[in-house]
């Protein structure tokens, strides 16, 4: 997996019809923001605890007369229209690397891991006195500490923040806040089903642990498919058969650690990839239904990651 980035990673080709491994590990890659971007850039460094450090490069003219410059993070509005803001002070960096051509002062802001961020996408702005906040462009993103991250146990919440470049060339941060958390690992497409391995953080796997496939927008527990889970310490493995999924189009995957314990959404967020839907692709497999099944229309099942990096399965009719 890449650890230092400055541009989006290309989409991984679809895996073979029998096995769907995750993106192979690559050496850390370094690239910088395009020099013709408008506005200042911000280099970003992630730490293993979940904190972020922003280094904003300003021209001497832009920094002149500024007594309290700041970095503003603004969450994109949710469906209700509500949003939030976090403002961080920017201070000069005395030992900054030599500035690239056209830049002067380097200002630093720190977002500690102890600051909670609501799940969602946060746009990053430069806030200068007497001016409207201005979007920042991504510079160098050092995300090596996020690769194969293992969260510390004993916490009460897990914060994950991944900076990335938007399609318009702006800097944003994807944030998750969860605990317990079920991290998806290897996915294998097998005959008429899916084998999922993963690791549970923040809760104990016990007798009665199971994987649950829930039909999206079906309401309540009706139609949920339950699968037994093989447990090895904090790790789990389950094989989800495809035929029971033919009844609905979209299925969300949850892990119930034990009988009577709240289920946890299965997701993949403990790495440096903010959007997995286009990166991790898996083959569609035709669902082989038993003779006389109510759902007799031919269809396929495809595992995928949602826009929130949650694991799901999509069922599609087979084209004639």
């Amino acid at each position: 997996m890449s650890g230092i980035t400055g541009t989006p990673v290309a989409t991984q080709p679809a895996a073979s019809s029998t096995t769907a491994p995750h993106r192979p590990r690559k050496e850390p890659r370094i690239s910088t923001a395009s020099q013709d971007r408008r506005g200042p850039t911000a280099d970003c460094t992630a730490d293993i605890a979940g904190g972020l450090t922003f280094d904003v490069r300003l021209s001497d003219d832009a920094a002149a007369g500024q007594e309290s410059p700041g970095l503003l993070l603004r969450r994109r509005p949710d469906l209700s229209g509500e949003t939030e803001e976090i403002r961080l002070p920017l201070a000069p960096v005395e030992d900054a690397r030599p500035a690239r051509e056209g830049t002067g002062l380097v200002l630093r802001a720190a977002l500690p891991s102890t600051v909670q961020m609501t799940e969602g996408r946060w746009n990053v702005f430069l806030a200068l006195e007497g001016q409207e906040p201005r979007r920042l462009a991504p510079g160098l993103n050092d995300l090596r500490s996020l690769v194969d991250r293992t969260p510390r146990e004993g916490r009460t919440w897990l914060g994950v923040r991944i900076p990335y470049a938007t399609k318009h060339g702006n800097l944003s941060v994807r944030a998750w806040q969860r605990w317990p958390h079920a991290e998806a690992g290897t996915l294998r497409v097998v005959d008429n089903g899916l084998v999922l391995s993963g690791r549970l953080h923040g809760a104990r796997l016990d007798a009665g642990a199971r994987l649950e496939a829930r039909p999206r927008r079906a309401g309540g527990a009706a139609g949920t498919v339950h699968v037994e889970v093989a447990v090895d310490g904090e790790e789990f493995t389950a094989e989800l058969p495809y035929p029971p999924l033919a009844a609905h189009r979209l299925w969300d995957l949850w892990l119930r650690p034990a009988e009577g314990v709240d289920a946890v959404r299965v997701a993949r967020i403990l790495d440096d990839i903010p959007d997995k839907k286009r990166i991790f692709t898996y083959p569609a497999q035709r669902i082989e239904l038993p003779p006389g099944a109510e759902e007799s229309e031919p269809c396929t099942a495809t595992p995928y990651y949602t826009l929130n990096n949650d694991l799901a399965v999509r069922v599609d009719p087979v084209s004639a």
Side-chain angles (χ1 to χ4, degrees):
M1 294 183 181
S2 59
I4 306 181
T5 63
T7 55
V9 180
T11 301
Q12 175 184 329
S16 68
S17 60
T18 57
T19 304
H22 288 293
R23 189 183 66 170
R25 181 182 298 279
K26 297 180 180 179
E27 290 300 316
R29 181 168 57 87
I30 299 178
S31 59
T32 56
S34 173
Q35 294 298 312
D36 60 359
R37 292 190 191 277
R38 294 176 296 172
T41 64
D43 297 341
C44 193
T45 302
D47 64 51
I48 196 169
L52 295 176
T53 300
F54 301 88
D55 283 355
V56 181
R57 298 184 177 276
L58 294 181
S59 65
D60 293 331
D61 291 341
Q66 291 292 328
E67 295 184 358
S68 56
L71 186 122
L72 179 68
L73 295 104
R74 179 181 295 156
R75 183 171 59 84
R76 295 180 194 174
D78 55 24
L79 294 178
S80 68
E82 295 184 356
T83 186
E84 309 171 62
E85 291 185 350
I86 298 175
R87 184 184 173 100
L88 305 171
L90 282 165
V93 180
E94 300 297 336
D95 58 347
R97 302 187 307 274
R100 295 188 293 268
E101 183 179 353
T103 63
L105 188 65
V106 178
L107 302 176
R108 177 170 295 171
L111 175 67
S113 61
T114 54
V115 174
Q116 298 192 25
M117 298 179 71
T118 302
E119 284 204 16
R121 299 178 187 270
W122 294 69
N123 296 332
V124 185
F125 298 83
L126 173 65
L128 300 178
E129 293 178 272
Q131 302 179 26
E132 288 294 320
R134 187 177 182 182
R135 288 295 297 271
L136 286 167
L140 186 71
N141 286 342
D142 185 349
L143 310 181
R144 287 173 293 184
S145 65
L146 300 183
V147 179
D148 296 330
R149 178 186 174 196
T150 300
R152 176 178 53 82
E153 300 297 330
R155 61 175 68 228
T156 57
W157 58 277
L158 169 67
V160 175
R161 298 87 181 261
I162 306 177
Y164 69 98
T166 71
K167 63 181 180 181
H168 298 297
N170 296 313
L171 177 63
S172 290
V173 175
R174 183 66 175 91
W176 290 267
Q177 185 167 306
R178 303 185 177 185
W179 201 252
H181 167 60
E183 178 76 355
T186 302
L187 273 65
R188 288 192 300 114
V189 176
V190 297
D191 290 342
N192 226 19
L194 172 69
V195 176
L196 163 66
S197 297
R199 188 179 185 90
L200 179 65
H201 301 277
R204 180 181 175 182
L205 289 165
D206 210 336
R210 61 181 182 265
L211 182 71
E212 297 181 356
R214 300 180 180 179
R216 194 177 302 173
R217 294 185 289 271
T224 298
V225 176
H226 303 271
V227 179
E228 290 186 1
V229 170
V231 175
D232 182 8
E234 297 176 342
E235 299 181 353
F236 63 89
T237 302
E239 182 170 347
L240 176 66
Y242 279 161
L245 307 188
H248 296 276
R249 174 170 168 74
L250 297 175
W251 297 81
D252 295 322
L253 302 190
W254 295 72
L255 176 69
R256 190 173 297 277
E259 191 68 39
V261 176
D262 290 340
V264 181
R265 191 72 167 91
V266 179
R268 188 175 174 92
I269 59 177
L270 296 178
D271 56 27
D272 61 335
I273 305 174
D275 294 295
K276 297 180 175 61
K277 188 171 185 178
R278 294 175 296 176
I279 301 296
F280 293 150
T281 58
Y282 301 92
Q285 186 184 67
R286 185 164 181 144
I287 300 178
E288 300 296 337
L289 297 172
E294 291 185 14
E295 301 294 331
S296 58
E297 293 296 324
C299 54
T300 62
T302 309
Y304 73 100
Y305 286 102
T306 70
L307 292 176
N308 292 322
N309 287 359
D310 296 323
L311 187 58
V313 177
R314 185 183 70 248
V315 176
D316 298 299
V318 174
S319 300

